[in-house]
């Protein structure tokens, strides 16, 4: 693991790191904020998955999470959204919603993307092992959140690993990827035409198929231009109601899809995660 940069912040350290990934076959860059802590302490970990076109840098620079992470004693990890580098396949038309910056947190099975686009394995297996080895992380106390495409990733990963993550939340997530254009394009391109294979990467479908978590927290901007076509929080509400999953879904008037929205409500999410990451908490 190579240290790209470190900066002191709120008594802790904001770092950016790079390593050679076996999962993606490329170098991968990620950021980690480690709050001030006693020597030998092991701290709970909050994973943050970013959205289309983003890297680790978007939330690291705009998310306004460090002060509260320092107060609450939370490690904050932000991976990249796709493999990158020479020879990595991209959308042939250069579209923003597929290819580079748009890995959708799946393991691609279709050429040419299968060679590198293994973000599911990277985020659920390889990077957690690296975090456990290199940082003062208590891997028995993990939670996950994300934004937009990353909200899709947080929901699907959280629902798939309910014993690993004590809390799952999202900002403006893609909740039903099989039913919206962004998701249909990505899942078709990465996984092929077999829509049965898409269901493990669709939060609503996972809930319909029996996946359960104790609770979900979702914030959505009412002025988000992607709300009705791509995000469809109404579908998540219906699925949670049918499954008996407590969902706190708040429509925020006047807020859009940007980091102005995310940073405004980041503290609410971090406190919600911290409550559930307390030692012994299963709620």
């Amino acid at each position: 693991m190579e240290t790209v940069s470190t900066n002191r912040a709120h008594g802790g350290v904001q770092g950016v790191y790079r390593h050679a990934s076996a999962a993606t076959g490329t170098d991968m860059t990620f950021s980690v904020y480690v709050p001030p802590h006693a020597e030998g302490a092991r701290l709970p970990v909050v994973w943050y998955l970013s959205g289309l076109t983003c890297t680790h840098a978007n939330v690291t620079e705009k998310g306004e999470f460090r002060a509260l992470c320092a107060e609450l004693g939370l490690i904050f990890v932000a991976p990249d959204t796709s493999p990158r580098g020479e020879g990595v396949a991209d959308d042939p038309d250069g579209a923003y919603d597929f290819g580079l910056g748009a890995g959708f947190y799946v393991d691609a099975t279709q050429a040419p993307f299968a060679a590198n686009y293994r973000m599911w394995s990277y985020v659920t297996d390889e990077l957690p092992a690296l975090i456990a080895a290199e940082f003062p992380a208590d891997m028995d106390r993990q939670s996950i959140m994300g934004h937009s495409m990353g909200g899709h990733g947080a929901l699907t990963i959280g629902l798939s690993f309910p014993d690993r993550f004590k809390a799952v939340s999202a900002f403006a997530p893609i909740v039903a990827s099989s039913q919206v254009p962004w998701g249909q394009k990505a899942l078709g391109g990465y996984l092929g035409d077999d829509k049965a294979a898409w269901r493990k990467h669709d939060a609503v479908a996972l809930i319909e198929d029996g996946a359960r978590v104790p609770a979900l927290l979702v914030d959505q901007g009412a002025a988000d231009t992607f709300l009705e076509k791509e995000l469809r929080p109404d579908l998540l509400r219906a699925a949670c109601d049918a499954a008996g999953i407590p969902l706190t879904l708040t429509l925020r008037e006047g807020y859009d899809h940007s980091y102005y929205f995310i940073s405004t409500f980041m503290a609410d999410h971090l406190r919600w995660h911290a409550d559930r990451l307390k030692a012994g908490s299963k709620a």
Side-chain angles (χ1 to χ4, degrees):
M1 187 181 75
E2 172 192 355
T3 299
V4 176
S5 65
T6 58
N7 295 94
R8 196 73 169 168
H10 298 281
V13 176
Q14 176 64 67
V16 177
Y17 307 92
R18 182 185 299 116
H19 72 116
S21 168
T24 68
T26 66
D27 285 352
M28 294 294 290
T29 302
F30 61 97
S31 76
V32 181
Y33 177 70
V34 179
H37 59 281
E39 185 175 354
R42 311 300 288 185
L43 307 175
V45 179
V46 177
W47 293 85
Y48 179 94
L49 304 185
S50 293
L52 291 167
T53 76
C54 293
T55 70
H56 70 281
N58 296 75
V59 70
T60 305
E61 296 169 2
K62 302 175 184 177
E64 299 183 18
F65 56 86
R66 278 174 288 270
L68 194 55
C69 283
E71 176 186 327
L72 299 173
L74 302 174
I75 292 175
F76 192 96
V77 181
D80 202 347
T81 54
S82 78
R84 300 177 194 272
E86 186 176 353
V88 175
D90 195 7
D91 185 283
D93 299 320
Y96 75 93
D97 56 358
F98 187 74
L100 296 179
F104 261 82
Y105 305 99
V106 305
D107 283 350
T109 59
Q110 304 300 299
F113 302 99
N116 303 111
Y117 283 77
R118 299 185 55 79
M119 292 302 295
W120 180 271
S121 291
Y122 179 69
V123 169
T124 66
D125 184 22
E126 184 176 23
L127 189 54
L130 185 63
I131 297 299
E134 299 289 343
F135 298 91
D138 180 354
M139 303 305 279
D140 290 329
R141 292 187 292 159
Q142 299 183 70
S143 69
I144 191 165
M145 69 166 77
H147 169 234
S148 194
M149 178 187 72
H152 143 81
L155 292 175
T156 56
I157 291 170
L159 286 161
S160 298
F161 298 94
D163 293 333
R164 180 187 302 187
F165 298 104
K166 307 296 186 190
V168 183
S169 76
F171 301 98
I174 303 167
V175 305
S177 52
S178 299
Q179 301 185 51
V180 300
W182 276 343
Q184 291 166 344
K185 178 178 180 178
L187 298 181
Y190 293 134
L191 303 179
D193 295 332
D194 181 8
K195 293 186 178 181
W198 296 11
R199 294 188 70 82
K200 70 173 287 187
H201 298 292
D202 179 317
V204 166
L206 281 166
I207 293 169
E208 291 173 347
D209 292 345
R212 297 292 183 267
V213 291
L216 292 171
L217 173 65
V218 173
D219 273 281
Q220 172 65 60
D224 190 326
T225 56
F226 303 115
L227 175 58
E228 294 184 3
K229 184 177 181 180
E230 302 285 5
L231 306 178
R232 299 295 307 278
D234 56 299
L235 297 176
L236 181 64
R237 183 183 294 281
C240 286
D241 286 348
I245 298 175
L247 169 65
T248 302
L249 171 59
T250 307
L251 196 63
R252 303 292 187 176
E253 291 298 329
Y255 285 91
D256 57 17
H257 201 67
S258 72
Y259 269 87
Y260 296 107
F261 157 64
I262 296 166
S263 63
T264 299
F265 301 105
M266 177 66 80
D268 293 345
H269 283 242
L270 289 174
R271 291 190 187 280
W272 193 81
H273 283 250
D275 285 346
R276 288 153 179 79
L277 287 165
K278 291 176 182 176
S281 174
K282 300 293 185 181

